[in-house]
Amino acid sequence: MIFSEGMLRDGALENKTIIVTGGGTGLGKSMAAYFLRLGANVVICSRKFAVLEETAAELAQITGGKILPVACDVRNTEQIENVIAKSVEVFGRVDGLVNNSAGNFISPTERLSYKAVDTVVDIVLRGTYYFTLALGKYWIDNNIKGTVLNIVTTYATTGSGWVVPSAMAKAGVLTMTKSLAFEWARHGIRLNAIAPGPFPTKGAWDRLFPEELAKKFSFENRIPLARTGEHQELANLAAYLVSDFSAYMTGQVVTLDGGEVLAAGQFNFLKEVTDDQWDAIEDQIKSATRGGKSPE
Ligand code: HXC
Ligand code: NAP
């Protein structure tokens, strides 16, 4: 399967230092691994330092790249500034940021406490704008043309019930992406986003697709391309968007979801119609067009 292979050429991210928030697990870990393989220095940060250390050791061994784990709750500006300071101390500068950290779980909204909503919104929205603001100031002060990649979701655009705090927060991140892309273009800073469909990770599956639900609503039936995403597919797109190959692209969100978001198309229910039924329907339509009676 070619889509589970790396896409960019060797050394495509050489001389770049990229911070990946939430880089110790799931999609963040997969992106960090690919950036290392392409020659970048990578900084991974999140709350659980033991997890970060284990991932850093594993990825350094597999890729031979340079990776720095730093503990950081993205809701805390001092800890964010510490990540940037440590990255500069170790690697000399920072060129890219992937805002990938998130908190999320399914729940009927009326069951949520105020604190539950705050928790998700603060990790996703506050965490993203704090980190982006801190690095943007550093880039502008140091005349660095930095790049931000925000990992959002398809429901940042469509909205979705049962994940309302996440949907509100991701929509805010998407609007920040477009707004700042225009404002900071004069500094050469670019911001783009990826809206992934379902990519299996323990973090998402434990909280969003518990076993009982996953069995009942199979992805194969719901997704036009009849499968979930491969991590390398997302890592390929992410590497392109943080690399200089995408130098002319800013303020964009790229959906990578096997067509899942297209389900709203008004006539997509016709998926269920068989070939025999189509023969009859075609005859009916043609005879109606030739002079049959149309509804008022
Ligand atoms: C209702 C819940 C709840 C649940 C937590 N809370 N889980 N309420 N249903 N299932 C409430 C708690 O009762 C508490 O409110 C408040 O939320 C904060 O909970 P804590 O456990 O104290 O918070 P914390 O330890 O900071 O954990 C944050 C978290 C947790 C978001 C709740 O799940 C987490 O650490 N998540 C990080 C990883 C993650 O979420 N990954 C998935 C990303 S996937 P009270 O009032 O009781 O104190 C994703 C993909 C989207 O975003 C698209 C998929 C296709
Ligand atoms: P994941 O493995 O649970 O990743 C979430 C990461 O966020 C964890 O590493 C977690 O690390 C970190 N994090 C949580 N709270 C934090 C905080 N306060 N400060 C710093 N870091 C924090 O889940 P994932 O599926 O890979 O998700 C990665 C991203 O992809 C998220 O933005 C998610 O919304 C997005 N996404 C995923 C899917 C999917 O199908 N998997 C689909 C659409 C979008 P700690 O616990 O150590 O802090």
Side-chain angles (χ1 to χ4, degrees):
M1 288 184 300
I2 196 147
F3 57 80
S4 51
E5 291 171 18
M7 184 180 80
L8 292 193
R9 62 165 168 72
D10 287 351
L13 295 179
E14 239 160 42
N15 302 319
K16 287 199 185 296
T17 297
I18 301 166
I19 298 176
V20 181
T21 71
T25 64
L27 295 177
K29 180 177 174 182
S30 298
M31 288 187 277
Y34 191 43
F35 296 169
L36 287 164
R37 278 173 51 205
L38 293 171
N41 303 316
V42 174
V43 181
I44 52 173
C45 61
S46 73
R47 296 165 302 176
K48 300 187 188 105
F49 188 62
V51 173
L52 295 173
E53 275 190 314
E54 199 179 315
T55 295
E58 182 191 331
L59 297 188
Q61 214 234 330
I62 295 170
T63 65
K66 290 189 188 133
I67 177 164
L68 174 72
V70 187
C72 171
D73 186 322
V74 294
R75 294 166 290 191
N76 181 312
T77 51
E78 273 177 27
Q79 292 179 25
I80 289 172
E81 283 166 12
N82 177 52
V83 176
I84 298 172
K86 284 238 163 77
S87 306
V88 172
E89 191 185 307
V90 173
F91 296 124
R93 59 187 259 152
V94 178
D95 303 278
L97 166 68
V98 182
N99 284 307
N100 166 78
S101 283
N104 197 4
F105 49 81
I106 48 170
S107 175
T109 306
E110 67 277 13
R111 291 172 64 110
L112 297 175
S113 65
Y114 295 120
K115 189 178 163 204
V117 179
D118 285 346
T119 300
V120 171
V121 172
D122 282 352
I123 298 171
V124 175
L125 181 56
R126 192 187 293 269
T128 298
Y129 68 68
Y130 275 174
F131 225 122
T132 306
L133 187 59
L135 259 182
K137 286 172 194 261
Y138 156 81
W139 284 332
I140 292 166
D141 287 348
N142 291 281
N143 203 17
I144 294 173
K145 296 177 178 9
T147 304
V148 178
L149 173 61
N150 295 320
I151 308 301
V152 294
T153 56
T154 51
Y155 58 65
T157 308
T158 61
S160 176
W162 290 274
V163 283
V164 168
S166 170
M168 295 190 296
K170 294 283 193 185
V173 172
L174 186 53
T175 298
M176 186 199 77
T177 308
K178 296 178 190 171
S179 308
L180 264 183
F182 188 88
E183 187 178 331
W184 283 354
R186 67 205 165 115
H187 301 293
I189 298 171
R190 297 187 298 116
L191 296 95
N192 289 294
I194 298 177
F199 283 73
T201 65
K202 181 167 168 37
W205 259 232
D206 284 355
R207 296 171 176 89
L208 297 153
F209 308 111
E211 217 179 319
E212 213 172 303
L213 283 182
K215 264 192 240 151
K216 202 165 166 194
F217 303 102
S218 90
F219 292 108
E220 287 68 23
N221 293 336
R222 278 201 302 117
I223 297 176
L225 291 176
R227 66 173 174 89
T228 53
E230 291 265 339
H231 284 209
Q232 187 60 44
E233 292 179 280
L234 186 120
N236 282 337
L237 178 59
Y240 167 70
L241 290 174
V242 297
S243 78
D244 295 338
F245 289 112
S246 60
Y248 202 45
M249 185 189 285
T250 195
Q252 301 306 303
V253 56
V254 183
T255 297
L256 190 66
D257 73 340
E260 185 184 35
V261 82
L262 305 175
Q266 197 170 22
F267 284 90
N268 287 346
F269 65 92
L270 295 175
K271 186 182 167 203
E272 310 300 329
V273 176
T274 63
D275 281 350
D276 287 346
Q277 288 171 317
W278 273 120
D279 290 341
I281 292 167
E282 186 179 335
D283 287 346
Q284 259 177 42
I285 294 174
K286 283 183 174 167
S287 92
T289 343
R290 278 195 296 264
K293 200 168 173 336
S294 308
E296 293 305 307

